[in-house]
Amino acid sequence: MTSTVSTTERRLDRIRGAVEARAHNARTIAALTSNPGCARRAVMDAAGVDKARLASHLGVPAPYGQSQFAITRGNAFEAQVKADGCAELLRLLRERLHLPIPEVAYDDLDEVGGNASRELRHARSRALLGRAATGAEDAGTLFDHPLLRLAVGGRWVYLEPDLIAFQLAGTFRVVEIKSFAVVDGQADGDSVAAAAVQSAVYVLALRRLMRDLGHDPGVVSHDVVLVCPENFANRPVAVLLDVRKQLTVLERQLSRLARIDTILDGLPAGLTVDLVADEAGAPTRSASEVAEALRQVDARYAPECLATCELCYFCRDEAQGTTSALGRTVREELGGVELVDTALGLAAGTLAPSDEQVEAAAVLRAAARLRIECLRGAA
Amino acid sequence: MSTLTALARAQAASTAAAQPIATLRHVHISDRPLVFVPLMLAGEANAPLAAMVGDRSAAPTLLVVPQPRNRDLRFTFAGELADLVIRYIDGFRGVTEAVQANRGRETRYRYVQAPQVLVPNPPGVRFVRLLGRSTRLRRSYGRYAVDPSVPLLGQWLTFLGERAEHPGSSMLLAMTEALGMHWATGQSAVEDGNLAALMGWIDPPAGLSATVAAAAAEDPLTWPPAGPATDPTFDNEVLAPAIAAYDRAAGDDGAQRRALAALETALAGQLRPTWDLMWRAVEQLRRLPEGSRVASRWAADRDAFTSYATYLQEGGLPQPRRDSAVAAAIRLDRLERAQAAYDAQRALDDPLVMAEYRMVGEAFAGTVVAAVPDRVDSSGPKRKLRPHITVLTRDPVRLEPGTSVVAPPRVQQRAQIVSLSPVESGTEVVLELSGGMGRALTPAPGSVPALGEDLCYSALTESYQPPGRFPLREETPWTHGGPPQEYVPSDDDAVEEWS
């Protein structure tokens, strides 16, 4: 088993090349599960490839960036909630969620003795969280920045520790601080949904840690504490968010993520998208060389990737002419036919349907007939 | 997404040109709409940064908040916007018309015109709603007093925001949605959310193909986002230094004026491309012939406008923070009925929309192949004229015998499906007609579809659907929290933080 893992690790390291691996966070894991059938994404993420840098080098930079205003505001809000040993957070937990918290210890696990490897930091988080689960002290504990890890595609990935785990009377809760506003009890649905999935990633990682330590994973609550600014002010408000549904989806998707070994077995041995830089900081390998390598790994592009994956423009270009580039529902409505030209050929009756296309072809021909009939007079 | 729309997208992708998915325009486009392109500061709930607003394409007004985190400057912005918006709205409160209601027993009056606000996209609508929420509860007296126009602006924006949820209303429209109802592009719905890309497909600049135009639209340098979110690179490289320069110039009037001018130039550069796109989109929509039922829906908008204007004139309170349980249920019921009526109306107006129902067997079109126009039903105590016609259709019919259907040009005449029989060239549907044929036992000339006439029947109806029945406010059941307290805006609401 050890040898398999190290073979896998070696192959992934080779794919990434002589550059440092990118860390995962709850957001990237959440995104990963939104398209679990994409081998390209699974391999790049498992190998810790810097996809943003890769996309830039390929001449199709990712369409995201973060405004410094948003970052400043997010940091300021988080700092406010956490100030003075999380005083504000404790007030919310007591007053809004009616948790009977007598007194609280605060452990910042951000660093272990100055600088520390992730392994060391994880070990310390593990030890402290484990001790809290065993001890039945009355006092609650807030664990800031615990470094958790999760197995993704058969490989451990560490999660950026932007969370607080809160322990009270043997029950753990994940606290997620977000800077989108809750106005009159309502928040933007997309933001809440994204926060729920990200929190679920932490809940899952925390539960697996408890399980591995021999504790009941159920000590980690499926209710996460979401802290957001209320209305148009900076005053925080806390709500409980039930992430049971997200947990189910997450667990299913993670188990469905084909084990990375199986995908790697189908790839050429020397495959690499190495972005190792020259003295001037530019990648030494040409864009076409890297693109050629990347194409060896199958992608499954859908327009939703535009919001979640740095490689989206590369894959979109590649998906030109396919029905899935127009959207999953479009593809379904076109009878699952893969190519736009095939769908149009079937609709026009100029292409003979294969056996499994007979039904789709009949529907497409009917649709084409209706469009012609209705547009004859108009336009 | 239906197969017809999906096919239109495939055709658009293959021909590199947007394809129509409607033959008529289903939204009202005013002769004088107010185009409103807002920008907000990233990371904040609702911090206005700038806006381009106006009712003439050649004369936009630029409003800028030089330091969006400054509360006073925000309210200055709100005041300036209020002046513009309220002046625009008041411009429609001149001429009224008499409307007979309740079968002629009552007469009410409504304005012959109404305001129409156009924003680029659904987040723009959300911005209007939030700006309404953050301003309508303010007061022009007491602590943190604001200009009286500010809460009034809030009430109007809230009204418009609520109206935008009403299916078929055209008072506040998101342009990407208005366009998307009429054209299918060769890209996905996600990409259609970018107004510049969408317009690139529908109306590419001369000499450019739609695909090239849509691709170019994704470069935020040429086509800044249509708001309210800004381009993060613009934020970091242009906006942040410009705001910092403004802050640094505090106390030095000359320097601050120069810093403000630089900010205005930068923000105008972000807004102007979208402003121009909005007016091009208005022209595109105007070119489509208007559906025959658009006017009646706009009349409903004018009714809503008239009654809200009257309510405000009588000193009406601002909308509460949250609806009470009964009010929310009544509203939901109203929206559901409006949605059903709107769907039916568009299909009855537009054969291409009706085709969606034909695809799934809920409507059928065909030719009259047999008719017994003078058939009389004498089974009951009174002899009744009940002609039969047979329609041959190629459509897959999934309606059951006994279903009542109508055909668009003959909506007064009900037809009941008597039988369906498959034949070699499709399905023969026998229909029994009633109504719209005069009072005699022989039909008035032309009132029964003639042999060879083409018709399209469906079960869609735009007839009045009675509202659901709900308890009175004071009888709200305990399951829904019991009778709610009457909402009265409080002092706390008025001085709420806006930071």
Side-chain angles (χ1 to χ4, degrees):
Chain A
M1 186 66 200
T2 340
S3 75
T4 332
V5 170
S6 63
T7 321
T8 307
E9 302 263 324
R10 258 204 309 278
R11 286 210 62 185
L12 290 170
D13 287 344
R14 158 122 219 190
I15 287 172
R16 186 183 67 250
V19 286
E20 203 173 323
R22 290 276 295 176
H24 270 275
N25 54 39
R27 195 167 39 79
T28 59
I29 305 239
L32 187 59
T33 59
S34 71
N35 193 358
C38 183
R40 180 175 294 164
R41 175 150 198 168
V43 170
M44 294 302 129
D45 278 337
V49 172
D50 183 343
K51 297 200 298 295
R53 194 155 161 257
L54 179 58
S56 296
H57 185 48
L58 295 169
V60 279
Y64 335 109
Q66 235 194 328
S67 165
Q68 56 171 272
F69 298 113
I71 298 172
T72 312
R73 155 89 173 177
N75 291 344
F77 181 69
E78 192 177 331
Q80 182 194 337
V81 173
K82 286 186 179 176
D84 304 322
C86 295
E88 192 83 344
L89 177 62
L90 285 171
R91 182 185 63 78
L92 287 171
L93 293 173
R94 288 195 182 108
E95 291 174 12
R96 301 296 289 248
L97 306 178
H98 309 293
L99 293 177
I101 310 169
E103 65 182 291
V104 166
Y106 172 79
D107 270 329
D108 193 341
L109 306 174
D110 202 17
E111 291 186 333
V112 183
N115 64 345
S117 71
R118 290 185 302 183
E119 286 74 14
L120 197 62
R121 283 173 57 201
H122 173 66
R124 179 168 153 79
S125 299
R126 202 177 147 95
L128 281 180
L129 289 164
R131 198 186 310 152
T134 342
E137 307 124 58
D138 283 345
T141 316
L142 288 165
F143 299 95
D144 201 356
H145 304 114
L147 189 65
L148 305 176
R149 60 176 195 177
L150 201 59
V152 176
R155 195 184 197 224
W156 287 118
V157 297
Y158 289 95
L159 299 172
E160 282 298 334
D162 43 4
L163 82 151
I164 292 180
F166 168 66
Q167 180 274 131
L168 180 70
T171 298
F172 289 79
R173 278 197 177 83
V174 165
V175 178
E176 182 94 30
I177 302 170
K178 291 283 176 190
S179 62
F180 59 83
V182 177
V183 178
D184 297 338
Q186 289 183 317
D188 175 48
D190 291 344
S191 306
V192 177
V197 183
Q198 290 174 31
S199 311
V201 173
Y202 290 130
V203 172
L204 188 64
L206 209 47
R207 282 189 172 177
R208 298 235 164 128
L209 182 140
M210 289 302 165
R211 190 193 57 196
D212 293 348
L213 290 172
H215 299 294
D216 174 12
V219 299
V220 184
S221 171
H222 55 249
D223 282 329
V224 302
V225 181
L226 179 65
V227 180
C228 291
E230 187 172 30
N231 297 337
F232 305 99
N234 284 322
R235 208 176 27 251
V237 62
V239 286
L240 284 182
L241 202 57
D242 182 341
V243 299
R244 260 177 291 188
K245 210 174 96 202
Q246 287 78 4
L247 276 171
T248 316
V249 173
L250 191 65
E251 284 191 89
R252 194 176 59 231
Q253 305 282 54
L254 282 175
S255 68
R256 262 178 59 188
L257 266 179
R259 283 188 58 86
I260 214 77
D261 296 349
T262 333
I263 304 175
L264 292 176
D265 285 347
L267 298 177
L271 185 79
T272 178
V273 293
D274 195 352
L275 292 174
V276 68
D278 57 20
E279 279 148 18
T284 47
R285 297 178 72 224
S286 76
S288 61
E289 222 179 316
V290 177
E292 191 47 47
L294 194 56
R295 280 195 206 97
Q296 308 275 320
V297 195
D298 283 340
R300 192 201 267 179
Y301 173 78
E304 288 72 24
C305 297
L306 292 170
T308 52
C309 182
E310 291 87 348
L311 292 172
C312 57
Y313 284 164
F314 182 83
C315 303
R316 186 176 67 171
D317 286 349
E318 198 180 53
Q320 269 303 310
T322 66
T323 53
S324 31
L326 303 178
R328 284 193 178 115
T329 50
V330 174
R331 186 187 167 120
E332 279 161 25
E333 287 294 339
L334 295 175
V337 176
E338 191 191 343
L339 297 174
V340 167
D341 284 346
T342 313
L344 292 176
L346 293 173
T350 54
L351 195 70
S354 65
D355 285 349
E356 65 268 28
Q357 286 172 342
V358 170
E359 207 177 316
V363 175
L364 287 170
R365 276 200 305 275
R369 175 176 67 85
L370 282 176
R371 277 191 62 79
I372 291 168
E373 182 190 317
C374 296
L375 287 167
R376 211 169 10 205
Chain B
M1 180 76 54
S2 66
T3 304
L4 277 172
T5 309
L7 183 63
R9 280 198 187 268
Q11 288 170 335
S14 161
T15 57
Q19 298 295 316
I21 50 171
T23 64
L24 301 165
R25 173 158 48 78
H26 297 286
V27 294
H28 172 85
I29 294 292
S30 157
D31 294 336
R32 195 162 67 83
L34 187 78
V35 169
F36 178 45
V37 186
L39 290 183
M40 61 182 187
L41 191 72
E44 306 281 328
N46 183 243
L49 169 64
M52 207 166 252
V53 55
D55 57 4
R56 281 184 302 139
S57 66
T61 302
L62 175 71
L63 302 177
V64 164
V65 189
Q67 172 46 277
R69 295 210 178 90
N70 180 313
R71 179 190 167 96
D72 293 338
L73 293 176
R74 276 189 202 183
F75 280 110
T76 311
F77 169 91
E80 288 167 349
L81 183 65
D83 286 345
L84 278 163
V85 170
I86 292 166
R87 196 181 331 129
Y88 171 76
I89 287 176
D90 282 345
F92 297 97
R93 295 175 59 188
V95 188
T96 58
E97 62 187 4
V99 188
Q100 303 298 317
N102 205 355
R103 293 171 199 271
R105 283 194 289 268
E106 288 166 30
T107 304
R108 62 191 160 80
Y109 292 87
R110 76 174 161 223
Y111 294 119
V112 296
Q113 288 183 304
Q116 178 179 47
V117 177
L118 303 176
V119 295
N121 46 32
V125 173
R126 202 150 56 229
F127 179 88
V128 167
R129 208 173 288 141
L130 274 180
L131 187 61
R133 164 63 182 79
S134 58
T135 51
R136 70 172 185 255
L137 303 170
R138 310 285 163 186
R139 285 184 188 161
S140 55
Y141 53 87
R143 255 194 324 147
Y144 301 124
V146 298
D147 192 273
S149 64
V150 170
L152 187 58
L153 171 77
Q155 284 177 286
W156 275 117
L157 293 184
T158 305
F159 165 78
L160 288 169
E162 283 180 0
R163 201 64 204 152
E165 286 172 19
H166 191 91
S169 166
S170 295
M171 293 203 94
L172 171 61
L173 291 178
M175 191 53 87
T176 50
E177 291 193 330
L179 293 170
M181 279 172 64
H182 299 92
W183 285 279
T185 66
Q187 60 187 5
S188 71
V190 176
E191 288 139 326
D192 281 353
N194 177 341
L195 181 63
L198 183 56
M199 279 300 286
W201 277 96
I202 295 170
D203 180 28
L208 283 190
S209 83
T211 30
V212 174
E218 287 182 347
D219 179 2
L221 285 179
T222 350
W223 290 104
T230 48
D231 170 26
T233 311
F234 168 78
D235 279 7
N236 297 341
E237 290 173 12
V238 181
L239 187 60
I243 291 178
Y246 176 84
D247 283 343
R248 272 197 310 275
D252 178 346
D253 279 357
Q256 199 157 46
R257 251 199 319 278
R258 283 192 298 281
L260 179 61
L263 251 176
E264 283 175 342
T265 310
L267 287 164
Q270 293 292 297
L271 286 162
R272 188 67 200 222
T274 304
W275 171 266
D276 292 335
L277 271 180
M278 288 292 286
W279 289 99
R280 263 174 58 205
V282 167
E283 284 313 308
Q284 277 299 314
L285 286 169
R286 279 195 181 131
R287 250 172 252 152
L288 288 173
E290 186 177 272
S292 66
R293 288 164 176 86
V294 172
S296 70
R297 289 197 296 271
W298 182 243
D301 275 333
R302 290 188 286 122
D303 273 326
F305 169 59
T306 308
S307 71
Y308 196 67
T310 313
Y311 171 82
L312 284 182
Q313 206 159 15
E314 291 162 359
L317 291 176
Q319 299 88 340
R321 282 170 172 235
R322 292 179 85 160
D323 271 346
S324 68
V326 173
I330 291 174
R331 178 172 156 77
L332 204 57
D333 175 66
R334 195 169 56 226
L335 295 186
E336 279 169 4
R337 281 180 293 126
Q339 185 66 56
Y342 181 44
D343 290 344
Q345 288 186 349
R346 273 180 302 146
L348 293 170
D349 264 355
D350 188 337
L352 195 48
V353 178
M354 183 62 92
E356 309 267 6
Y357 295 86
R358 291 171 61 190
M359 272 302 287
V360 293
E362 288 171 25
F364 61 93
T367 311
V368 181
V369 290
V372 193
D374 49 6
R375 179 180 170 275
V376 170
D377 178 359
S378 40
S379 58
K382 198 176 160 200
R383 285 156 56 82
K384 289 173 287 192
L385 178 63
R386 291 290 181 269
H388 274 190
I389 59 168
T390 306
V391 175
L392 173 64
T393 178
R394 290 173 62 190
D395 295 338
V397 190
R398 294 210 178 86
L399 297 166
E400 300 287 324
T403 311
S404 272
V405 291
V406 292
R410 299 172 175 274
V411 285
Q412 299 310 319
Q413 186 170 66
R414 294 168 69 78
Q416 193 169 41
I417 298 177
V418 177
S419 67
L420 297 149
S421 20
V423 293
E424 204 182 317
S425 50
T427 308
E428 279 190 354
V429 187
V430 177
L431 296 162
E432 183 172 307
L433 308 180
S434 59
M437 292 174 290
R439 294 176 161 274
L441 279 182
T442 45
S447 62
V448 171
L451 282 181
E453 193 171 327
D454 290 326
L455 287 162
C456 178
Y457 280 100
S458 76
L460 293 168
T461 171
E462 53 176 337
S463 60
Y464 175 76
Q465 303 292 315
R469 290 175 58 182
F470 297 96
L472 292 172
R473 185 189 162 85
E474 50 272 22
E475 285 161 19
T476 306
W478 64 268
T479 48
H480 292 66
Q485 292 208 323
E486 188 73 40
Y487 177 75
V488 181
S490 69
D491 290 344
D492 284 349
D493 288 343
V495 300
E496 179 182 50
E497 264 182 77
W498 189 18
S499 55

